[in-house]
Amino acid sequence: MDDHADLFKALGDGTRRLILDGLAEKDGQTLFEICGRLTMRHNLASSRQAISQHLAVLEQAGLVRSRRQGRYKFHHIDTSRLRSIVERWPIDREEPEL
């Protein structure tokens, strides 16, 4: 079985990629901040519940970690699983001559 299936599934959705882009730009955001940025920057008006579900998929794939602080839950991007893809299929190889 492909151990990267959940990773590719998580990355296969455009909204989840936008969430990762937002966290790469400003790490440690709350759900409220993520929803606000998606609306302001991408005119994406998904419900907080939908974005929360996207975050759950990203967390399950190991691409996002979260921590609670008081009433707030902060989300952080975690690129360590992406490294496993690059290690599996190195990007620093020479181009094949065709």
Side-chain angles (χ1 to χ4, degrees):
M1 195 65 172
D2 188 355
D3 60 344
H4 291 107
D6 60 337
L7 187 60
F8 287 114
K9 178 185 171 193
L11 292 171
D13 183 89
T15 300
R16 288 194 282 269
R17 289 193 302 272
L18 289 176
I19 292 170
L20 290 174
D21 288 344
L23 289 174
E25 193 173 303
K26 181 181 181 291
D27 202 22
Q29 296 181 57
T30 64
L31 175 62
F32 180 78
E33 291 173 304
I34 292 169
C35 290
R37 289 173 77 94
L38 288 172
T39 301
M40 296 296 289
R41 293 192 175 203
H42 305 287
N43 202 23
L44 187 67
S46 295
S47 69
R48 289 177 57 167
Q49 183 178 15
I51 299 304
S52 181
Q53 289 173 346
H54 283 302
L55 284 166
V57 172
L58 291 168
E59 279 191 61
Q60 190 169 14
L63 292 168
V64 169
R65 290 179 289 110
S66 62
R67 66 177 168 84
R68 285 206 173 273
Q69 184 173 347
R71 295 176 36 198
Y72 300 100
K73 185 175 181 182
F74 295 90
H75 302 279
H76 300 270
I77 190 168
D78 183 351
T79 59
S80 58
R81 291 231 34 225
L82 296 176
R83 283 189 209 109
S84 67
I85 293 174
V86 175
E87 290 168 0
R88 184 173 176 175
W89 298 294
I91 58 173
D92 57 352
R93 296 177 54 173
E94 291 184 27
E95 294 277 332
E97 289 186 35
L98 301 176

